[in-house]
Amino acid sequence: MFNVNDPVTIDVSVHWVAVIVYVLATIANVWGVIFTKEKAVRLSYSLAYLGLAVHGVVLLYRWVATGHGPYMARYEILSSNAWVLLVLFLVLTKVYPKIKVASIVVFPATFLLIALGLFFSPEMTRMPPSMRSIWLVLHVLFYKISVATILVALAFSLILILKTRTSHKWLERLPSLDVVDIYAYRFAGFSFVFWAIAMLAGSIWAYQLWGRFWGWDPVETWSLITWGAFGMYLHLRRFFGWKGERAAYFYILCTFVSIVALYFTPLLETSIHSEYFK
């Protein structure tokens, strides 16, 4: 039974509303992109903005109810990652209209992140006073921005592989291989920079909390490995001329490493981060 006095029930219910709106946006978007239905594409963006508004309201509601930003439990981390991803993408489409095609990956990724989060415990917990720091906020914020740019670059890498490997007519209407390739490269560069800033902010916060900048915790170690993997991708492209399929497949591998770093290593009992992701 729906309990209007239970903050968790309200939070989960409104999150599901956002998921439904995002799913409708995804269906309209994929239909519009593949079959060149401009009205369907416009409808998908209208639905995306609607879902974003609903999603933003429920994140703010949870923020007020818990007294801290959405960066403690896995549930709220995945949800806020999805919101930042979509906000950043919609803003960037105004500056770089050619990246709109990435919506066929960004839109489904948005609702899948939220839906995945809803399977974890949505309980609301208070943040210990010792953890309240502007460096924690910056640490989390820049990781979220980095994740968003990673997924946009991943979208272009996947599109490049599809355009190279298949001959579907709808792919011919997308930007050329050279354009898709260069956008994958540029957004990978964004993710590399934002990831570095997030690690730096995290090390300063760690010094405030534990008295050391780096402790080779599993999360810290895998975060460094991920940054190194993205750095290698950029190095191979810049100095060894990697591009096209070879670069795209390597980037997919880098994305997999980043997923392990962000969503799996915090669950290890040996990690000091594990307490913050239960």
Side-chain angles (χ1 to χ4, degrees):
M1 181 180 293
F2 184 83
N3 185 356
V4 295
N5 296 316
D6 180 18
V8 175
T9 301
I10 294 172
D11 177 60
V12 171
S13 299
V14 179
H15 262 98
W16 276 116
V17 171
V19 168
I20 292 171
V21 176
Y22 286 145
V23 168
L24 294 175
T26 299
I27 293 171
N29 185 260
V30 173
W31 175 269
V33 170
I34 293 178
F35 295 102
T36 322
K37 304 291 185 181
E38 190 57 36
K39 287 185 178 179
V41 173
R42 288 199 298 269
L43 174 62
S44 72
Y45 276 86
S46 297
L47 288 170
Y49 279 110
L50 174 61
L52 197 66
V54 174
H55 191 184
V57 167
V58 73
L59 283 175
L60 183 60
Y61 172 80
R62 185 179 180 89
W63 192 326
V64 173
T66 60
H68 63 78
Y71 41 72
M72 286 292 291
R74 281 174 286 177
Y75 166 73
E76 60 193 26
I77 289 172
L78 288 167
S79 176
S80 56
N81 282 352
W83 191 84
V84 171
L85 166 63
L86 190 55
V87 167
L88 185 63
F89 175 73
L90 292 174
V91 170
L92 288 172
T93 57
K94 302 297 183 182
V95 183
Y96 307 105
K98 288 184 178 180
I99 75 166
K100 280 190 173 183
V101 65
S103 60
I104 61 175
V105 173
V106 172
F107 282 13
T110 300
F111 80 76
L112 286 173
L113 281 171
I114 305 172
L116 178 62
L118 285 165
F119 286 101
F120 294 108
S121 174
E123 296 301 319
M124 296 183 178
T125 57
R126 293 283 178 176
M127 178 184 288
S130 60
M131 291 181 61
R132 298 182 183 275
S133 169
I134 185 60
W135 292 108
L136 171 60
V137 175
L138 294 175
H139 174 59
V140 173
L141 175 62
F142 280 104
Y143 267 125
K144 291 183 184 301
I145 295 174
S146 183
V147 168
T149 53
I150 285 171
L151 290 176
V152 173
L154 175 64
F156 282 108
S157 297
L158 293 172
I159 290 169
L160 186 145
I161 293 172
L162 283 174
K163 285 179 70 69
T164 304
R165 291 282 178 174
T166 64
S167 57
H168 296 297
K169 288 187 176 181
W170 70 272
L171 289 171
E172 297 175 2
R173 296 190 291 268
L174 302 183
S176 67
L177 283 174
D178 288 340
V179 171
V180 170
D181 191 44
I182 195 64
Y183 274 115
Y185 180 37
R186 288 174 179 175
F187 279 97
F190 278 125
S191 63
F192 177 77
V193 172
F194 291 133
W195 195 283
I197 297 172
M199 284 199 303
L200 178 61
S203 66
I204 296 174
W205 173 59
Y207 182 78
Q208 288 184 339
L209 190 60
W210 299 304
R212 51 83 173 163
F213 288 103
W214 195 268
W216 297 107
D217 174 78
V219 172
E220 296 171 344
T221 303
W222 273 92
S223 183
L224 183 61
I225 291 172
T226 301
W227 187 63
F230 285 124
M232 187 180 297
Y233 167 85
L234 295 171
H235 185 78
L236 290 171
R237 292 207 56 150
R238 177 66 179 83
F239 296 104
F240 290 86
W242 277 37
K243 61 181 181 178
E245 268 193 287
R246 181 166 58 170
Y249 280 119
F250 189 80
Y251 189 79
I252 292 172
L253 175 62
C254 292
T255 302
F256 174 76
V257 174
S258 71
I259 291 172
V260 171
L262 288 173
Y263 300 117
F264 289 95
T265 52
L267 306 182
L268 299 175
E269 291 298 327
T270 55
S271 171
I272 54 178
H273 291 78
S274 62
E275 288 298 319
Y276 312 138
F277 292 87
K278 291 182 178 180

